[in-house]
Amino acid sequence: MFWTSQALILGLAHLAASKPFSSQSKRWDDFGVKHAWDEVPRGWELHGPAPTDYTFDMRIALRQDRFDDLVTALYEVSDPTHERYGQHLSKEEVAALVAPHRDSVDLVESWLAAHNLDLASSERSHAGDWITIRVSVAQAEKMLGTKYNVFRHGQSDEYVIRTMNYSLPNVLHEHVALVSPTTYFGTMKSMKATSFIHEGGPTIQSDPNLARLTGPNSLATVPSSCATTITPSCLRALYKTSDYTPSATKQNRLGVVGYLAEYANRADLDTFFKSFRPDAVNSSYTTVLVNGGGDDQSRPGVEANLDIQYTTGISYPTPNIYYSTGGSPPFIPDSYTPSNTNEPYLDWLNFIVDQKDIPQTITTSYGDEEQTVPRDYAIRVCNIFAQLGSRGTTLLFASGDSGVGGGQCLTNDGQNRTAFMPAFPASCPFVTTVGGTTHVSPEVAVDFSGGGFSNYFARPSYQSKDVSTYLTGLGNQYSGLFNSSGRAYPDVSAQAQGFQVVVNGRVTPVGGTSASSPTFAGVISLLNDYLISKGKAPLGFLNPLLYSKAASALNDITSGSNPGCGTNGFSAGKGWDPVTGLGTPDFSKLKKLLG
């Protein structure tokens, strides 16, 4: 994932020639708070002090010197009216824009050396904007002016070592964006997979619509059965992809991101194909193991199977990749075995940006309440998404399954104020967020479709007009419950209920925006196939296109709402709305529009 670069050797030479660190030690004790929680994040409880000799990998994110230039480039290559549209950046060009300033590197290296840490053992990202170094709890507490404790997550019975606050020497604040693990409590077991088994929902063992999907007697309308039981043929008919056969299968790829203990199962996929996509029987997907991820075929995951069965079910024969990201096991209170940070989300992100070739489309179906993610952490993760988008990858995220917010909808800033609860990464402006629909002829918003407005990220210019129009129509309703100037989501939507998924050999009905995101990803992957087959660049970051010329090629969803927080939530309506976004895809119209 990381490697020590020549810059490290040069840096060490520079340090050897500089003044002794002891003469500068005073400034390392001049702390300023970087991030602090007012209360233990909900769902977690204090278990006890962390053992001082416990060691972990500390990740230090250095300020990216030319990140504003990267964002400028991202919007230029993603804007269909700009002369640079489609001229995506290379891995090396991105690295040059996000590399830290030499002053930042020198200061951080001096700080680490002042704490007697072995710089030669540190690892650097390709761009040099991340430094990873092994530290003990005692060292970390001294470096960050804090106290680490063991916390337990009640629902998953998972333990992590975290801190309620951390500080940095004031001289480092403008040079260091983030230190991890510190105040981000989320782990993959406490994050929400945005899917759920629909207990008692209808199931079918084979698809009666397959014979009529293509050919002279192809479906003129979407079968009424698709209102309750979704299969690939339903989605291919509904979103008009059934007549398209991918041809750029040597270049185009579709990625699905999976996390701790969620394994896609090949036997289940084969059973799924036999029942619902017979022409794909005997095809499969590639598993890429990230950071010790597994591929246990005896433990099929509902989330993983849902994702891979529907990305392949729509995009076949496009190659699909399932990224199984491991991360370290959770901390065990009675065993002080050294481990990593137990933050597999960062593990996957740092892995993927270091790859030379990245799938043109990637879908992810996990998320947290935005307020549970420290702002500095969320910003840094969101910035990584900008890097991927600038390289020509479309990133799709599920919008969540709690409407405008689940649970008590209380702020965690010490005020316990009632408010809508936006989700992250759905709220990041550099990703395309997918909400949920249900029924056919017409589609309507599904009532759990996550949607709202970020409290961390400002509204980006690409959606300003559409969101302003919606807010004007909304008036003063829900005033004070959401940040009307924040990044609004979802951007688009797709079916989210009644998906027929094979798990352990049996068909299981599954719902959630976890179904919506891979569905939309499948359609985008087909569009990328079309573009690549014509010698054109893939779509990359979608949103500037979606909110401009592509809006007319989407099916506007005008009814339904997403209740939550004791309210009826937002309502779908004409144009963009924070329930279904701009609408669901029409492949034939999008393909024609892209030429």
Side-chain angles (χ1 to χ4, degrees):
M1 184 188 305
F2 298 95
W3 57 87
T4 303
S5 67
Q6 186 178 9
L8 173 58
I9 299 172
L10 295 174
L12 289 171
H14 168 79
L15 289 171
S18 64
K19 292 192 289 185
F21 298 117
S22 58
S23 67
Q24 305 174 6
S25 60
K26 251 186 184 179
R27 67 182 180 185
W28 307 130
D29 296 327
D30 179 23
F31 286 113
V33 175
K34 183 68 173 172
H35 181 260
W37 290 119
D38 291 290
E39 58 187 43
V40 176
R42 291 191 184 97
W44 294 89
E45 59 188 31
L46 177 64
H47 179 76
T52 57
D53 57 349
Y54 177 84
T55 64
F56 59 88
D57 285 340
M58 175 183 283
R59 285 194 177 104
I60 302 161
L62 281 68
R63 292 283 181 191
Q64 298 168 325
D65 189 41
R66 298 176 59 199
F67 182 74
D68 289 345
D69 292 338
L70 175 77
V71 174
T72 297
L74 170 69
Y75 282 123
E76 288 177 352
V77 302
S78 307
D79 180 356
T81 66
H82 199 278
E83 62 182 2
R84 289 187 65 191
Y85 181 62
Q87 298 176 29
H88 301 118
L89 308 186
S90 68
K91 174 185 174 182
E92 290 71 24
E93 289 171 328
V94 170
L97 293 176
V98 301
H101 192 278
R102 184 69 239 180
D103 290 348
S104 298
V105 177
D106 288 346
L107 266 173
V108 171
E109 288 181 345
S110 296
W111 174 55
L112 297 175
H115 285 279
N116 299 314
L117 294 173
D118 181 12
L119 289 169
S121 68
S122 66
E123 297 175 321
R124 311 292 172 111
S125 63
H126 174 67
D129 56 335
W130 287 91
I131 296 177
T132 302
I133 194 162
R134 175 74 67 168
V135 300
S136 68
V137 165
Q139 288 172 313
E141 290 179 341
K142 186 176 180 181
M143 294 169 68
L144 304 176
T146 190
K147 174 67 179 172
Y148 276 84
N149 286 291
V150 178
F151 295 86
R152 175 181 175 272
H153 185 251
Q155 188 173 355
S156 65
D157 196 32
E158 187 169 59
Y159 294 82
V160 296
I161 289 182
R162 297 292 187 269
T163 179
M164 286 291 293
N165 58 75
Y166 77 102
S167 299
L168 286 171
N170 283 309
V171 71
L172 288 180
H173 273 250
E174 63 179 285
H175 299 278
V176 173
L178 171 73
V179 178
S180 175
T182 49
T183 54
Y184 176 46
F185 279 67
T187 70
M188 294 320 302
K189 286 186 178 178
S190 63
M191 286 177 73
K192 302 170 190 170
T194 53
S195 67
F196 53 87
I197 294 176
H198 184 196
E199 299 291 350
T203 60
I204 55 176
Q205 303 306 311
S206 61
D207 192 342
N209 304 309
L210 281 171
R212 297 189 298 130
L213 188 60
T214 58
N217 297 315
S218 61
L219 298 170
T221 60
V222 180
S224 59
S225 62
C226 297
T228 55
T229 53
I230 290 290
T231 64
S233 65
C234 289
L235 299 172
R236 294 171 69 204
L238 183 61
Y239 300 136
K240 300 181 181 177
T241 70
S242 57
D243 289 332
Y244 183 79
T245 301
S247 59
T249 54
K250 291 185 178 180
Q251 298 86 31
N252 191 37
R253 293 173 297 162
L254 199 170
V256 174
V257 186
Y259 291 104
L260 201 60
E262 270 286 337
Y263 307 122
N265 185 271
R266 291 176 180 80
D268 282 344
L269 179 63
D270 195 53
T271 300
F272 176 82
F273 283 155
K274 288 174 181 175
S275 296
F276 303 118
R277 186 81 202 250
D279 58 327
V281 169
N282 295 325
S283 67
S284 191
Y285 58 92
T286 300
T287 298
V288 172
L289 306 182
V290 179
N291 197 45
D295 189 21
D296 188 345
Q297 291 297 293
S298 69
R299 296 173 55 197
V302 174
E303 178 71 49
N305 276 6
L306 164 66
D307 288 347
I308 205 70
Q309 288 174 19
Y310 279 86
T311 54
T312 55
I314 295 171
S315 68
Y316 172 79
T318 302
N320 277 232
I321 300 172
Y322 184 80
Y323 293 97
S324 180
T325 308
S328 64
F331 177 80
I332 302 173
D334 58 0
S335 173
Y336 299 155
T337 304
S339 70
N340 291 320
T341 62
N342 196 25
E343 292 193 2
Y345 203 50
L346 276 181
D347 291 333
W348 182 80
L349 288 170
N350 284 310
F351 165 82
I352 202 71
V353 296
D354 270 356
Q355 303 306 301
K356 183 173 179 60
D357 297 310
I358 303 173
Q360 293 85 348
T361 313
I362 297 177
T363 177
T364 308
S365 297
Y366 291 84
D368 272 327
E369 282 186 4
E370 186 184 69
Q371 70 167 1
T372 68
V373 182
R375 187 185 296 263
D376 56 353
Y377 191 102
I379 290 172
R380 187 59 177 230
V381 166
C382 190
N383 289 353
I384 298 176
F385 297 143
Q387 295 178 51
L388 296 171
S390 70
R391 290 175 61 180
T393 292
T394 299
L395 297 168
L396 297 128
F397 277 84
S399 70
D401 296 343
S402 300
V404 295
Q408 295 178 311
C409 297
L410 297 175
T411 61
N412 63 356
D413 55 3
Q415 299 180 26
N416 283 328
R417 179 174 50 85
T418 299
F420 291 166
M421 292 288 123
F424 179 82
S427 63
C428 171
F430 303 132
V431 305
T432 300
T433 303
V434 189
T437 62
T438 188
H439 303 316
V440 296
S441 303
E443 291 183 87
V444 302
V446 72
D447 60 6
F448 53 75
S449 181
F453 298 78
S454 174
N455 292 314
Y456 287 179
F457 303 100
R459 185 191 310 160
S461 58
Y462 60 72
Q463 65 173 190
S464 181
K465 180 180 178 181
D466 294 90
V467 175
S468 294
T469 298
Y470 182 85
L471 290 174
T472 298
L474 185 67
N476 293 324
Q477 188 178 17
Y478 304 140
S479 178
L481 291 177
F482 69 96
N483 175 27
S484 61
S485 63
R487 186 284 204 251
Y489 72 94
D491 303 297
V492 290
S493 51
Q495 286 284 312
Q497 196 155 260
F499 278 60
Q500 305 297 289
V501 180
V502 176
V503 183
N504 261 328
R506 298 179 60 183
V507 177
T508 302
V510 179
T513 53
S514 270
S516 310
S517 188
T519 294
F520 207 97
V523 176
I524 294 303
S525 186
L526 294 179
L527 290 170
N528 278 332
D529 178 275
Y530 173 73
L531 290 170
I532 292 169
S533 70
K534 298 294 183 183
K536 298 181 179 182
L539 289 166
F541 178 43
L542 278 180
N543 294 4
L545 172 68
L546 291 173
Y547 284 90
S548 56
K549 62 187 291 186
S552 61
L554 299 171
N555 307 307
D556 191 13
I557 310 302
T558 58
S559 62
S561 64
N562 58 352
C565 301
T567 74
N568 292 326
F570 296 112
S571 295
K574 184 175 174 57
W576 179 89
D577 57 70
V579 191
T580 61
L582 295 164
T584 61
D586 185 318
F587 176 80
S588 59
K589 288 182 180 179
L590 288 165
K591 178 170 163 283
K592 182 177 180 181
L593 177 146
L594 295 171

